[in-house]
Amino acid sequence: MKILARALLVFFVISTLSGCLSPIVMNRAVEVYDNAAIRAESKQLLTNIVRARHHEPLHFTRVSSIAATFNFSANAGATPALTGESGGLLAPIFGAGVSENPTFSIEPIASEEFTKRLLTPFSQHKLTLLLRQHFDVDLMLRMMAQEVRLQHAEPQNAVHNNPVSRGQGRHQRLHHDSRQQAISTEALDIKDQDDHHHFLSGPQLTEEQQRRQRNRQRTHLHQTTYQNSPSDQAGYEMFRRIVLHLSAIQDQKQLYAEPLTLERNWTIPVGAISAEGLFQAIEKDFIVSHDQQNGTYILSKQLLGPILITNYDPDILCCEERAELQELINPWIENDVAFDIRPGYPGGEWPIRGAFRLRSFHTILNFIAHSLSEEAEYYVEKDPRTPPIAKDENPSHTLGLIIVDELPSDVNLSTYSHGKYYAVDTTGSHSHWNLNAFQLLYILFRLTVTDAKSLGLPITISK
C-alpha cells in the first residue's frame, strides 16, 4: 500500500511540474520575441538614417512570422537512501526539462506598392490621427511638413516692420518676378478675360469657374512659401516660428484640428421631378426647401471638407466665413493641412493663415539624416508675439542623435554602421523629446509599411 501511495505521489508531482512550466515558458517567450522584433525594426530605422546620411540606397525588411516549438519533459525515479545496513528506504528523484526550437521568417519589403507608399506624402488625416494621440504639433510638423505657405492680406511689395516679413522678399522672387508682383487686382481680372480667348481652345469657362480661377491667382500672388530646410535660413526660421506658435496654442489646450463642414446647394425646377419622387429619393441625405416665387426646389447637404487647424471652434463659423475658408484651401490637396489663427482667441496676437505641405516617409528619413551633417538644424527663438511654451521645449533637432566611437551605458536605441555608433540621444535635457520623436518615426514607418506586399521571397532562419 505504501508503494502505491508513493507511485501516485510521484505521478502527481510530474504532472504538476509540466503543467506549471508550460504557461511560464510560453509567456516569457512571447515577451522576448516581441521585444526582439521591435528592437530589430528600431535598429533598421537607425541603419537607414545612416544610409541616407551617406547617400546610400535604403532597404527594409520585416519579420513576417515567428514559430516556436516547445518540448516539455519530466521524469522521476527512486534510488536507495544512504542508510547503510539499517534499512531499505528509497529516495525519490524528480527531473524536468524544456527545449525550444524557434523559426523566423524575414521578408524583404521591395514591392512596387511599398515603394509608392514610401514616396507618397502623408495625408492630412494621418496627421490629425496622430494629433489625437497627444503628440506635440511642433514635433509632428517639424518631422512631417516639407514647407508652409503663408497667406498675406496685402501685396508682398508692401513694407513691413516686424519679424514676420524678414526675408520674405527674397523667397517671393522664387515664385514671381518683380513685374508679376506689381499686377493689380483690376489688371489681373482683365488679363484673365483675355487669356480665356487665347489659351482655351475647348469649351469656355463658366462665370463661376472664372471667379475661382481669379481667386486662386490672387492667392498665389499673395502667398509666400517657406521651406523646412536649414539650407534655406530665412525660410527655415520662419517655419520654426510658425510651428512654435501653434505649439504654444496647443499647450493652452486651445488648438483645434477638425474637418471643415461645408454646405452645398442645388436648385431644381419644380417641373423637373415630382415632389413625391423627389422626397423618396433624397429625404435621408438632403434638406429640401421650396421656393414658390421662383418655382424651384433647393437641395442642401452638409459635407465634410479638408482638415483645418484653428485657435477657435470651427463650429462657430457662419456660412460666409466657411465659404471664405473654402476658397483658401481650394483646390483641396490631400497632403496639405490648412491653418487659420485669428485675433481674439488664444495665440491671436499673431494672426496667421496658410497651409502646410506634408512629406513622404522617404523624405523624412533623408531630412533627419542630412541634419546630422550637411544640413544641420539649429536653435530658433520663438516669435515675440507667441505665448509662452510649456517647459520652454524647443530643441534644435527634430530627432537628436549622437554619433560616437563607444556607446554610453545609458543608451538603448542604437546601431553600429560605417565604423560608428548611432543612437537616439537620451543623455541630455531633451531625452524625452527625442524618445517621442523616435516613437513618432516608428509609427510613421508602420503607417507606411502596413498592408504593403513583400517580394514573396521569405528568408527562413531555424535554430
Side-chain angles (χ1 to χ4, degrees):
M1 194 68 181
K2 291 183 178 180
I3 296 176
L4 179 60
R6 291 176 180 176
L8 291 173
L9 177 62
V10 169
F11 177 77
F12 175 76
V13 171
I14 293 174
S15 301
T16 304
L17 282 175
S18 60
C20 292
L21 284 174
S22 175
I24 295 175
V25 172
M26 289 190 64
N27 290 338
R28 176 60 178 166
V30 170
E31 180 181 352
V32 170
Y33 288 142
D34 184 66
N35 290 334
I38 293 177
R39 292 188 67 83
E41 289 187 333
S42 299
K43 285 179 175 291
Q44 182 177 216
L45 284 175
L46 289 172
T47 300
N48 276 302
I49 291 174
V50 178
R51 289 170 180 161
R53 184 197 181 197
H54 292 87
H55 303 279
E56 297 176 354
L58 308 185
H59 189 264
F60 298 89
T61 58
R62 64 179 174 186
V63 179
S64 61
S65 65
I66 302 175
T69 302
F70 297 93
N71 296 318
F72 300 95
S73 61
N75 55 75
T79 184
L82 299 177
T83 58
E85 298 179 354
S86 61
L89 295 176
L90 293 177
I93 300 176
F94 303 104
V98 59
S99 62
E100 177 186 359
N101 185 25
T103 300
F104 302 86
S105 292
I106 302 175
E107 295 180 343
I109 312 175
S111 65
E112 180 181 357
E113 178 188 353
F114 172 71
T115 303
K116 288 180 179 179
R117 294 170 69 107
L118 186 67
L119 301 178
T120 301
F122 286 100
S123 68
Q124 56 178 238
H125 299 287
K126 291 182 178 178
L127 182 134
T128 53
L129 175 67
L130 294 170
L131 271 177
R132 291 187 174 93
Q133 311 309 312
H134 304 290
F135 278 103
D136 191 329
V137 67
D138 180 19
L139 168 61
M140 292 181 56
L141 290 173
R142 286 177 63 179
M143 183 176 291
M144 297 180 65
Q146 180 73 29
E147 63 186 30
V148 60
R149 298 188 307 280
L150 202 62
Q151 299 291 335
H152 303 278
E154 55 185 338
Q156 286 298 291
N157 54 359
V159 177
H160 300 269
N161 186 25
N162 58 58
V164 179
S165 63
R166 187 163 63 99
Q168 289 178 354
R170 182 173 67 85
H171 289 278
Q172 188 68 22
R173 287 194 293 272
L174 295 175
H175 305 281
H176 322 287
D177 56 31
S178 58
R179 183 164 55 90
Q180 287 175 313
Q181 293 183 40
I183 297 177
S184 65
T185 302
E186 293 78 6
L188 180 61
D189 293 342
I190 298 173
K191 182 178 182 297
D192 288 339
Q193 297 173 6
D194 294 337
D195 287 347
H196 295 324
H197 298 286
H198 292 291
F199 297 105
L200 292 177
S201 57
Q204 296 297 308
L205 297 178
T206 64
E207 182 178 348
E208 177 64 19
Q209 290 172 331
Q210 293 178 23
R211 183 187 66 81
R212 291 180 179 179
Q213 186 181 52
R214 288 194 297 269
N215 287 340
R216 286 196 293 267
Q217 290 176 344
R218 290 192 190 97
T219 300
H220 183 65
L221 288 175
H222 295 167
Q223 75 177 9
T224 307
T225 300
Y226 300 97
Q227 299 292 330
N228 180 19
S229 174
S231 60
D232 181 2
Q233 181 178 353
Y236 176 72
E237 293 178 1
M238 176 57 73
F239 181 94
R240 289 282 301 273
R241 292 190 184 100
I242 292 173
V243 296
L244 278 170
H245 194 71
L246 297 182
S247 180
I249 300 173
Q250 184 188 39
D251 291 338
Q252 301 180 36
K253 303 185 184 305
Q254 296 297 322
L255 192 71
Y256 296 81
E258 302 294 339
L260 180 64
T261 304
L262 307 174
E263 183 173 306
R264 296 287 304 276
N265 298 313
W266 295 267
T267 301
I268 301 177
V270 171
I273 187 172
S274 66
E276 181 180 356
L278 175 65
F279 288 117
Q280 288 180 352
I282 63 176
E283 61 181 351
K284 294 183 179 180
D285 299 321
F286 294 86
I287 298 174
V288 182
S289 58
H290 185 204
D291 186 348
Q292 295 182 351
Q293 182 177 357
N294 296 320
T296 59
Y297 289 112
I298 301 175
L299 278 62
S300 302
K301 183 178 182 178
Q302 288 191 338
L303 302 173
L304 289 181
I307 301 298
L308 184 67
I309 297 176
T310 62
N311 62 337
Y312 56 88
D313 188 346
D315 289 339
I316 68 174
L317 297 178
C318 63
C319 296
E320 291 77 10
E321 291 174 312
R322 292 176 188 274
E324 180 186 357
L325 288 173
Q326 185 180 6
E327 292 295 339
L328 167 68
I329 55 185
N330 187 35
W332 175 18
I333 300 177
E334 180 67 18
N335 58 296
D336 279 5
V337 181
F339 61 92
D340 181 35
I341 305 302
R342 297 191 172 190
Y345 300 96
E349 297 82 4
W350 183 16
I352 49 178
R353 172 184 286 187
F356 294 97
R357 177 150 292 178
L358 302 183
R359 291 177 166 132
S360 66
F361 187 74
H362 183 271
T363 309
I364 290 175
L365 287 181
N366 278 279
F367 170 75
I368 295 174
H370 296 165
S371 68
L372 297 175
S373 53
E374 55 198 72
E375 293 186 26
E377 293 188 270
Y378 54 90
Y379 178 79
V380 176
E381 183 60 65
K382 69 180 181 68
D383 188 272
R385 293 161 291 185
T386 297
I389 299 173
K391 301 178 182 179
D392 291 326
E393 194 170 44
N394 182 21
S396 58
H397 284 71
T398 304
L399 173 58
L401 299 174
I402 57 174
I403 308 172
V404 292
D405 295 320
E406 295 184 5
L407 198 63
S409 58
D410 55 347
V411 171
N412 293 322
L413 297 169
S414 65
T415 190
Y416 185 80
S417 181
H418 294 74
K420 297 284 186 178
Y421 285 100
Y422 291 78
V424 177
D425 187 4
T426 56
T427 61
S429 58
H430 298 303
S431 60
H432 184 263
W433 170 283
N434 293 332
L435 288 173
N436 282 341
F438 192 81
Q439 182 187 22
L440 175 61
L441 183 68
Y442 181 81
I443 292 175
L444 294 175
F445 172 67
R446 299 303 306 173
L447 289 174
T448 303
V449 76
T450 300
D451 297 331
K453 296 179 181 178
S454 67
L455 281 176
L457 301 172
I459 304 169
T460 302
I461 302 176
S462 298
K463 184 178 179 182

